[in-house]
Amino acid sequence: MNFLRLLCMSLLILWPAVAAGIGPTEPCSLITGEEARQILGEEVAAPRPKLVRGMAVGRSCLYRTAAPLSQRGGVGTIRIIVYDTQTMKENDSLFDSPRAFFEKFFKARRSGQVEVVPGLGDEAKWTPGSDTLHFLVGDLYLTLEIKDLTKMSAPDRAELDRKVSAYRKDQSLAVARKYILPRLKAK
């Protein structure tokens, strides 16, 4: 009986935090498997969540196309990483906050390696070399990479790289606006 009372008291104490959505944002909750299938244009395997460790610790979700590599000549992927203060502190990250990590990450880059993206979250940037969208929303720093199997051609490799990067940027911005930002605002 004491156990039951203790359990009920714990739930009463913790319920406001659970109801308010306090806690780390799980990146696999920001894009569903069906949405990943639509984005990549084919079936996807189950998402792979994991912790990402480096200068900062974040939570990652990876969707991969499901067909064997030999059937299509490549693997389409969607990778979302969410850096939040709680996860960073619990895992002894080098940075105190996601914003501090975001700022340090871009301070180390030359201006030609970064494009400012207006109107997305609190601040957003695109890195054409890695085809990654970086954005701040409240106290979260998110990265989004989408690499589908769309075929493109160009007269030379440099033009092809520019064309692919522009396509991936447009696709990442559309996905962030359509799926990720609305779900973050609902939390």
Side-chain angles (χ1 to χ4, degrees), residues 14-96:
L14 294 174
W15 184 252
V18 172
I22 295 174
T25 298
E26 293 299 332
C28 291
S29 71
L30 300 175
I31 295 177
T32 68
E34 175 57 25
E35 292 161 349
R37 185 193 67 72
Q38 291 172 11
I39 295 162
L40 294 174
E42 61 182 271
E43 292 302 316
V44 296
R48 297 181 187 176
K50 72 174 193 171
L51 279 182
V52 175
R53 297 181 184 276
M55 291 178 29
V57 178
R59 296 175 184 277
S60 170
C61 182
L62 175 68
Y63 285 99
R64 296 171 55 107
T65 50
L69 178 62
S70 61
Q71 286 183 2
R72 68 178 134 37
V75 176
T77 60
I78 299 172
R79 180 186 313 270
I80 306 166
I81 302 175
V82 177
Y83 297 96
D84 65 87
T85 304
Q86 180 179 341
T87 302
M88 291 171 78
K89 286 183 179 179
E90 288 173 355
N91 292 280
D92 299 321
S93 182
L94 295 175
F95 296 92
D96 293 336

